[in-house]
Amino acid sequence: MGKISRLPPQMANLIAAGEVVERPASVVKELVENAVDAGARHVFIEAEQAGIQRIVVVDDGCGISPQDAPLALERQATSKISKPEDLMHLQTLGFRGEALAAIASVAEVELTTREAEAAVGTRVVVHGGQLQTCEPAASPVGTRVEVRQLFYQTPARLKFLRTLATERAHLERAATLQALAHPDVAMRLVVEGREIFSTAGKGMNTRLLGIAFGSEAARRLIPFEATNVDFQVHGFVSPPDLSRSTRQQELFFVQHRPVVSPLLASALEEAYRGFLTVHSHPLALIEVSCDPVLCDPNVHPAKREVRISRSDDLARLLVEAVRRALAGKIHPAEWRVPEVAAEEEDVPKGESETAATTHLRVGASWPTKDRPTLQPASFQLNEATVPYSGEGLAKQQEEQLTMGEHPKVLGNTGSSSAAGKVEGDDFLKRFSHPLRALGQILMTYIVTEGPDGLYLIDQHAAAERVRFEEIRQAARQMDLVAQPLAIPILLELTPSEQTLLENRLPVLEQLGVTVGGLGGGTLMVHSLPQIEGIRSEAKLAEQLIRQVIEKGSSDLEGIVDPLCATLACHSCVRAGDTLQAPEIEELLAQWLRCHAPSTCPHGRPVALHLSASALQRYFRRVLPS
């Protein structure tokens, strides 16, 4: 007797439900997408007990005829496709004919619907995949779907759900993504009797963005748009000083579908390279539109992922668009102190405002009023008089100074792409008077004075930016000279790593790194670029090779800049190096000649500004207004 048999329809539906309906949020997603496909202009969503007890979705779409209403709840019954060619030209969100049937197989579902031309509607009730009722019923135009007792047919599935708070968060996020994906559709979400959000359906605006990112962040987002022959990308991204520690607020949509896209996430990360520090991620809403032939959403049962043809062109377009959007949009922030009332005053009112609007540039001096000239010097704090650890320091800092905001990335537009010329950093426009170097503290920060206050410069970050731009320019002009090593550096690689490296050797050669001995698990590095200041050739060689292997792309533009940043880091001034006055002056002059002096090539800020007005407020030298 044979061992293979056809699964009963009920079993097939339960398996499909496991793929499509993971949690209550999945039900909301599927029902809202059906409403949008039906041409709805208004969608109402309601949930009780995080959607496990009850979910209702009501729309004013085209409705369903009495003949089609029972079929809508059967598996693989759909109005979206009829022949194989339709899969190549999908214009709808749902098309597989599985969602409603899958939901109905694990819950109690009641569907009430009416077409505009029909005098009466239709009510269909299905429990656990079994049709209970199909009858005429009063109904407005559109469709109302009520899902009750989710997973009552499969109680084991309930055990895999998280807490009600977690499931509610997933449901609210799913509804929010649908509202963002369809800004022209008015949506309202009510959970446990409380309205979570309501949209007007009048397109994307700050209020709608605020639902996903918060109102304050939404107001700071930067719009962008770009088009090539095959794709259009548009959306919003955050300035570099506004970031998160996770990628939860990186939102991607392809053809109005919320998707998980490693391709787009990687391109976004590339666009912010040099703007953000490690483990910081931007806020972004990115929508991709293209010919349906180039996009296949049929690779995942829940349609969370899509396959995109010509993905390299799309990634390049997104990187260039985001970089253009960021250029010139970032402005410096000051280190602020609390507002305090003045007890005594010997500074004329308004002087702080005058000083605060004065700008800086590198130079020898500026006009002063009976001010002694201070020569640049290296000095350190006396640890005996400065609390340096524990609660005492934190308490003193809290009492004396507060940070209005973290220091922002000061206008970095230095990242470039193959499509455009590097634009000047608008941070440079602040400098119309000289900075005067006062010295060095903690052997890490350069202290400088300007007419509008104090500037602290991270010496390694500034030197790294200078060296990075020098090395990158030389690499692009093929001017880096290979310096042969007296003794080759040996590295152990796995076979897969050797294969990856073989395809990327031109990138290393462009930087003056030559290798040999590929095969047998051992690699020999024969030369490194001739750059002064390299402290550990072995460590540098290994880091360069590992970066090339792990980058995951053979695109020269995407690999060269990170390698140049590594070379710069290994060959410039570091924290802990003592600098003499001429060295400080030269470093400052070189730093402010950079295209993007506000950050190091890894995205860390270079300078912190404590303004004259902030100092005067702290020392109570400003009359209260």
Side-chain angles (χ1 to χ4, degrees):
M1 184 176 178
K3 296 182 179 180
I4 300 176
S5 61
R6 291 185 178 89
L7 288 173
Q10 177 66 10
M11 183 62 69
N13 285 340
L14 288 174
I15 293 172
E19 296 175 336
V20 177
V21 186
E22 298 177 4
R23 55 186 1 131
S26 307
V27 175
V28 170
K29 170 188 177 296
E30 297 292 348
L31 296 183
V32 171
E33 287 183 346
N34 283 344
V36 172
D37 280 342
R41 304 304 304 169
H42 298 83
V43 177
F44 171 74
I45 310 159
E46 184 178 12
E48 296 178 6
Q49 199 175 351
I52 300 172
Q53 182 68 30
R54 179 172 176 265
I55 295 173
V56 177
V57 175
V58 183
D59 69 68
D60 60 353
C62 63
I64 307 174
S65 70
Q67 296 80 16
D68 289 339
L71 286 175
L73 293 166
E74 292 187 12
R75 190 177 181 217
Q76 296 175 347
T78 179
S79 62
K80 314 296 175 61
I81 57 175
S82 59
K83 54 186 182 297
E85 291 77 12
D86 292 341
L87 290 171
M88 300 298 295
H89 301 84
L90 290 170
Q91 301 286 354
T92 58
L93 300 170
F95 58 90
R96 296 166 67 122
E98 293 182 345
L100 278 176
I103 295 168
S105 68
V106 293
E108 300 175 358
V109 175
E110 178 179 321
L111 180 147
T112 307
T113 184
R114 180 169 75 88
E115 293 180 304
E117 59 272 17
V120 67
T122 305
R123 175 175 174 265
V124 180
V125 179
V126 175
H127 288 181
Q130 300 298 318
L131 180 64
Q132 305 293 315
T133 303
C134 181
E135 61 186 6
S139 172
V141 175
T143 301
R144 178 185 186 274
V145 180
E146 181 173 350
V147 179
R148 297 185 298 270
Q149 304 296 329
L150 187 62
F151 298 136
Y152 86 101
Q153 283 281 83
T154 54
R157 294 283 300 278
L158 287 172
K159 296 180 181 179
F160 289 96
L161 295 181
R162 308 296 292 273
T163 64
L164 289 180
T166 300
E167 293 302 330
R168 175 181 170 179
H170 282 290
L171 186 148
E172 292 177 0
R173 179 175 174 83
T176 299
L177 290 177
Q178 292 300 321
L180 294 170
H182 310 288
D184 296 326
V185 179
M187 294 191 191
R188 180 169 175 250
L189 173 65
V190 175
V191 179
E192 319 300 355
R194 184 172 68 89
E195 180 176 283
I196 304 303
F197 68 77
S198 178
T199 70
K202 296 182 179 179
M204 191 64 69
N205 52 43
T206 303
R207 184 171 177 270
L208 180 53
L209 289 171
I211 296 172
F213 302 109
S215 57
E216 289 298 323
R219 282 193 284 269
R220 299 193 58 204
L221 295 180
I222 304 167
F224 74 93
E225 183 175 3
T227 305
N228 64 12
V229 175
D230 297 312
F231 300 99
Q232 179 187 29
V233 294
H234 61 91
F236 300 84
V237 292
S238 62
D241 65 289
L242 179 60
S243 63
R244 298 288 184 264
S245 59
T246 71
R247 293 189 172 90
Q248 286 297 305
Q249 290 189 311
E250 294 179 4
L251 308 180
F252 303 106
F253 303 86
V254 177
Q255 303 288 76
H256 303 291
R257 300 177 188 274
V259 297
V260 175
S261 176
L263 167 70
L264 297 176
S266 178
L268 183 63
E269 180 180 342
E270 174 67 16
Y272 274 85
R273 178 166 44 80
F275 289 90
L276 292 177
T277 56
V278 179
H279 306 308
S280 294
H281 306 283
L283 287 69
L285 185 151
I286 295 172
E287 169 76 33
V288 177
S289 302
C290 63
D291 189 317
V293 174
L294 300 176
C295 173
D296 181 10
N298 202 30
V299 297
H300 191 283
K303 303 180 289 294
R304 280 198 303 267
E305 301 175 9
V306 295
R307 183 181 292 116
I308 299 176
S309 300
R310 303 172 190 170
S311 57
D312 287 346
D313 292 343
L314 173 59
R316 191 175 300 110
L317 179 67
L318 178 59
V319 170
E320 294 168 356
V322 172
R323 284 181 174 171
R324 284 197 298 270
L326 294 177
K329 297 293 185 180
I330 307 122
H331 303 286
E334 293 181 349
W335 188 6
R336 297 184 178 90
V337 299
E339 297 291 343
V340 293
E343 296 178 0
E344 297 182 5
E345 179 57 46
D346 57 3
V347 176
K349 184 178 180 180
E351 182 173 320
S352 61
E353 287 81 358
T354 303
T357 57
T358 307
H359 302 298
L360 305 175
R361 67 176 172 78
V362 164
S365 62
W366 62 89
T368 60
K369 182 172 62 176
D370 300 327
R371 177 183 297 175
T373 300
L374 301 179
Q375 296 299 322
S378 178
F379 61 92
Q380 296 180 346
L381 293 175
N382 186 340
E383 295 185 4
T385 61
V386 180
Y388 198 69
S389 62
E391 298 179 358
L393 175 59
K395 183 176 181 181
Q396 182 188 19
Q397 290 174 332
E398 183 178 356
E399 291 173 350
Q400 291 184 345
L401 299 174
T402 59
M403 291 283 283
E405 313 176 26
H406 292 293
K408 297 181 180 179
V409 176
L410 306 182
N412 184 355
T413 59
S415 296
S416 64
S417 64
K421 179 181 177 183
V422 177
E423 298 183 18
D425 192 329
D426 65 347
F427 174 69
L428 292 172
K429 298 175 184 177
R430 293 174 55 82
F431 293 85
S432 58
H433 291 282
L435 282 174
R436 181 157 59 104
L438 302 178
Q440 180 189 35
I441 59 171
L442 304 176
M443 293 195 297
T444 301
Y445 306 103
I446 297 171
V447 185
T448 65
E449 182 188 6
D452 69 340
L454 191 71
Y455 281 79
L456 295 179
I457 314 295
D458 185 321
Q459 64 190 41
H460 175 65
E464 195 175 32
R465 167 54 64 180
V466 171
R467 185 61 57 89
F468 167 73
E469 295 196 2
E470 291 174 349
I471 294 173
R472 183 175 62 177
Q473 182 68 18
R476 290 181 173 178
Q477 296 177 356
M478 306 299 289
D479 287 340
L480 284 176
V481 178
Q483 176 70 45
L485 299 173
I487 301 176
I489 297 169
L490 303 181
L491 299 175
E492 297 294 327
L493 300 180
T494 65
S496 60
E497 289 173 338
Q498 293 180 32
T499 301
L500 289 172
L501 188 61
E502 285 177 357
N503 298 326
R504 301 163 192 176
L505 290 180
V507 182
L508 292 171
E509 293 172 359
Q510 182 181 354
L511 296 174
V513 181
T514 57
V515 301
L518 280 174
T522 301
L523 171 74
M524 290 188 293
V525 180
H526 294 289
S527 71
L528 290 173
Q530 188 174 348
I531 300 174
E532 294 183 2
I534 296 176
R535 306 191 185 195
S536 174
E537 294 175 339
K539 185 176 180 180
L540 173 59
E542 181 174 7
Q543 192 168 348
L544 290 172
I545 297 299
R546 293 294 175 190
Q547 275 188 276
V548 172
I549 292 172
E550 294 169 4
K551 181 62 179 177
S553 169
S554 58
D555 178 54
L556 295 183
E557 186 68 24
I559 298 178
V560 170
D561 278 8
L563 295 180
C564 290
T566 298
L567 287 168
C569 184
H570 280 261
S571 61
C572 69
V573 171
R574 296 187 180 183
D577 290 346
T578 300
L579 301 181
Q580 301 303 318
E583 296 173 305
I584 291 175
E585 292 285 0
E586 180 62 22
L587 175 57
L588 290 176
Q590 292 180 353
W591 168 54
L592 284 177
R593 286 199 296 266
C594 291
H595 290 291
S598 55
T599 64
C600 79
H602 300 104
R604 291 194 304 109
V606 176
L608 176 66
H609 180 210
L610 179 59
S611 70
S613 60
L615 285 168
Q616 289 162 353
R617 286 197 305 274
Y618 175 70
F619 288 108
R620 304 185 182 185
R621 300 177 65 83
V622 180
L623 285 173
S625 56

